[in-house]
Amino acid sequence: MSSHLTTHVLDASSGTPAQNVVVSLARHLPGGGTAGVAQAFTDVDGRAALGPERLEPGMYALTFGTGAWFADRGIASFYPLVTVTFTVEDTDRHYHVPLLLSPFAYSTYRGS
């Protein structure tokens, strides 16, 4: 199984998928700094796949453009960006990082 990364963004306040959220994946570099890996927009089901078929071991950051998404809908929100930092250790696994989103809160977990 490949270990590429997927995400699923749900608008918890409406109970619907969050379509067209920009999502960026970056890798933290040893010694400091980050390097961009991939960028995507969520589809009609709020889903996106990012990155290569195999992620190298290391620390990554997945950043969601939540403020712009809410602004496009005329909704005030508190978090302009949500960044989820995680570690890839097992390069033979698939990584799924869902985001439950509302204007003033968010939650994430390691999915399957």
Side-chain angles (χ1 to χ4, degrees):
M1 174 185 283
S2 63
S3 65
H4 69 282
L5 176 74
T6 57
T7 188
H8 187 197
V9 183
L10 293 172
D11 178 354
S13 59
S14 68
T16 59
Q19 180 182 3
N20 211 32
V21 175
V22 64
V23 185
S24 300
L25 176 65
R27 182 170 186 207
H28 288 268
L29 302 173
T34 59
V37 176
Q39 186 174 27
F41 285 86
T42 56
D43 65 13
V44 67
D45 291 323
R47 298 179 184 274
L50 297 102
E53 286 300 311
R54 182 180 292 287
L55 292 173
E56 295 296 320
M59 188 169 37
Y60 291 83
L62 194 59
T63 301
F64 300 84
T66 54
W69 186 80
F70 278 117
D72 286 347
R73 283 144 189 81
I75 300 170
S77 65
F78 185 69
Y79 299 103
L81 299 171
V82 171
T83 300
V84 179
T85 304
F86 61 96
T87 303
V88 170
E89 293 178 356
D90 184 351
T91 61
D92 291 328
R93 294 193 66 164
H94 170 84
Y95 289 84
H96 183 66
V97 182
L99 181 69
L100 301 174
L101 180 62
S102 71
F104 300 99
Y106 66 89
S107 178
T108 185
Y109 56 94
R110 176 164 182 181
S112 58

